[in-house]
Amino acid sequence: MYGRIFACLLVLFGVRSSVCSLPCDFIDSVNITDGERLPNGEIRHNGVIYNQTYYRTIDYEYEDFATKKYVAEYIRGCLCAVRICVRLCCGEHEFLGKGCERSDKYLPIMVNVSATEKDDLRNLSQYGFLYGKPCGQVYELLPEENPADEWNIARNGSLIIAEDTLIPRNQYCLAPRANKTLASGLVCFTSNEEFKYNLYPVGMLLSVPFLLLTFFVYACIPDLRNMHGKSLMCYVLGLSVGYTVLSMVQLSVFPGSSSSCVISGYIVYFSFMVSFFWLNVMSFDIYWTFKGVTGVRSSETKKFLLYSLYAWGCPILLTASAITADNTDFLPHYLRPQFGTTRCLFVENKLIEFLYLYMPLLILVFMNVVFFVITALRIYKIQCETSVVRRGDSKRHTKLDNDRDRFGLYLRLFIVMGVTWSLEIISWAVDNNAWIFYVSDVCNCIQGFLIFALFVLKQKIKRLIYKKKGDSTT
């Protein structure tokens, strides 16, 4: 009687208890509702027999193995209690291409079961398969490129990397590939990497308001909407979009391998390329200003149109090339960026990362260094040659001083960006877990404030803001 009263109170207050709890962890079980019921009460599912000890009728499931929700009753069996479990990243009849793709063909799970022996796990009766990535973020082991990524499957279903690192079954998954004999191994990020990838997007999002403030200040004040101001606006706009969408990607806003995930990857790539090329434009423009002090100058409108064609056109071409490579057979598979395959961005592969990101970045940084060095030498030469003449030519004196001040601003901006991306390149070349990676992350997270301080928190800009505010109130 008291049991019924207690149950009624649970229902009354919205508390629901499951029909029965599993005798194993949910992540180690599979849905066997469509299995064959045997006369002795056992259930046969995909060739595996579950006795009554190892299955239950339950009324709940977990989204991403984290959020519990109640559903209609169904039967779930503890596969790992009766077989050696191996987790596959995709579904039963799926392979890993541009995400998980269905195939009607037989998909072997060919792996190294020892240092010298390969086998198809589907042909070994002691193994059973769980489906779906066990975590939100994974990276692919690439033994063909890095000997430290050599791996094989242990007898207990764990994954052994480089013969000394043991990865338990719920920290990795395997994926057959259409164009590879061996299945791919994908490993969950370690706790340190998870902390980094949770903290980093928050820092970037804190930087975005300062970038947007810089954009709106230059957009709202007519005196700042010259060619230099417009270039800065395009630059901070690219960074703002890139930081925002990248933060959303790293906070797992977009489901893995979904269309929104792939599109967000291309947007991040395009946005950062836009910021790189506009920084290059500003470096070139200050170089061209001092190169043409005594020569004929183009109109600002024509110059800005040419700059826009370059700084918007090149990122469009690079992004279009990546999309074409991913969706055609124009390039071999190992040269395709593969956006949305293992993550929303391109695959974690040194060659791919170099070709599509770091090579253009290195070229642009090198060009910027050349432009600034040449400009600095010209400023010094002009100052030496005109130190006496300028005393009687206040107009030219003011013009040269303004150009020199602008050079100083862009130089400081380049130093901020150059140091940040140089650290990024070094951390990529050495090891993504190196301490320098965290230094570059901190620099990235405070970039918005630094840019705001450089280009807005100046006396000249403050006066223009006060003037604009005064004009609007009269």
Side-chain angles (χ1 to χ4, degrees), residues 94-138:
E94 294 179 333
F95 66 94
L96 188 61
K98 275 199 64 182
C100 293
E101 301 177 15
R102 186 170 180 80
S103 174
D104 295 328
K105 298 179 180 178
Y106 175 75
L107 298 171
I109 310 298
M110 188 67 68
V111 299
N112 292 315
V113 292
S114 69
T116 58
E117 184 182 359
K118 297 180 178 62
D119 214 331
D120 180 2
L121 297 186
R122 292 194 191 276
N123 294 332
L124 303 178
S125 60
Q126 67 266 36
Y127 289 99
F129 299 105
L130 302 166
Y131 299 98
K133 289 193 297 185
C135 50
Q137 299 282 351
V138 294

Side-chain angles (χ1 to χ4, degrees), residues 231 301 329 349 372 393:
S231 299
T301 302
D329 296 326
N349 176 298
F372 279 119
D393 188 354

Side-chain angles (χ1 to χ4, degrees), residues 206-365:
L206 292 175
S207 199
V208 170
F210 293 103
L211 294 171
L212 293 178
L213 278 173
T214 305
F215 178 87
F216 286 121
V217 166
Y218 277 75
C220 294
I221 299 177
D223 291 347
L224 297 178
R225 288 201 298 269
N226 52 25
M227 200 221 37
H228 318 300
K230 290 176 183 176
S231 299
L232 179 65
M233 287 164 61
C234 293
Y235 169 70
V236 298
L237 181 63
L239 273 186
S240 299
V241 174
Y243 277 3
T244 302
V245 181
L246 180 58
S247 298
M248 295 170 70
V249 167
Q250 294 191 343
L251 291 171
S252 303
V253 173
F254 308 106
S257 303
S258 65
S259 298
S260 59
C261 177
V262 176
I263 292 170
S264 67
Y266 288 126
I267 291 174
V268 169
Y269 181 67
F270 173 75
S271 300
F272 280 117
M273 283 298 153
V274 165
S275 68
F276 297 154
F277 277 93
W278 274 108
L279 182 60
N280 184 237
V281 161
M282 290 187 282
S283 304
F284 173 80
D285 180 66
I286 196 68
Y287 155 81
W288 187 257
T289 297
F290 282 94
K291 180 179 183 295
V293 166
T294 58
V296 179
R297 302 188 181 212
S298 304
S299 68
E300 283 206 348
T301 302
K302 181 180 178 181
K303 203 190 309 187
F304 183 71
L305 287 175
L306 291 174
Y307 287 163
S308 296
L309 182 64
Y310 167 75
W312 291 106
C314 289
I316 289 173
L317 287 176
L318 288 170
T319 307
S321 300
I323 294 173
T324 303
D326 271 345
N327 293 279
T328 65
D329 296 326
F330 181 72
L331 291 177
H333 191 270
Y334 69 91
L335 291 179
R336 299 175 192 173
Q338 303 173 60
F339 280 83
T341 302
T342 58
R343 57 178 184 171
C344 297
L345 303 176
F346 41 67
V347 292
E348 289 186 279
N349 176 298
K350 291 288 187 183
L351 177 62
I352 296 299
E353 290 170 341
F354 177 74
L355 289 177
Y356 290 91
L357 178 62
Y358 293 106
M359 185 174 71
L361 181 55
L362 281 169
I363 293 171
L364 292 173
V365 168

Side-chain angles (χ1 to χ4, degrees), residues 137 139 171 187-196 433:
Q137 299 282 351
Y139 67 91
Q171 290 298 313
V187 181
C188 294
F189 288 126
T190 63
S191 56
N192 287 337
E193 288 170 321
E194 288 176 358
F195 173 76
K196 174 182 69 181
N433 291 320

Side-chain angles (χ1 to χ4, degrees), residues 346-395:
F346 41 67
V347 292
E348 289 186 279
N349 176 298
K350 291 288 187 183
L351 177 62
I352 296 299
E353 290 170 341
F354 177 74
L355 289 177
Y356 290 91
L357 178 62
Y358 293 106
M359 185 174 71
L361 181 55
L362 281 169
I363 293 171
L364 292 173
V365 168
F366 176 76
M367 291 170 63
N368 293 345
V369 170
V370 172
F371 290 146
F372 279 119
V373 169
I374 293 174
T375 304
L377 292 174
R378 280 191 177 141
I379 290 175
Y380 178 75
K381 182 180 179 181
I382 291 169
Q383 283 181 317
C384 292
E385 291 176 350
T386 63
S387 58
V388 176
V389 177
R390 287 189 303 141
R391 294 175 186 174
D393 188 354
S394 61
K395 184 177 180 181

Side-chain angles (χ1 to χ4, degrees), residues 453-469:
L454 281 174
F455 289 93
V456 178
L457 297 183
K458 298 169 56 186
Q459 288 302 321
K460 177 185 174 182
I461 306 301
K462 289 179 182 177
R463 285 195 297 269
L464 290 172
I465 293 173
Y466 293 144
K467 179 183 175 183
K468 174 71 175 176
K469 185 177 179 182

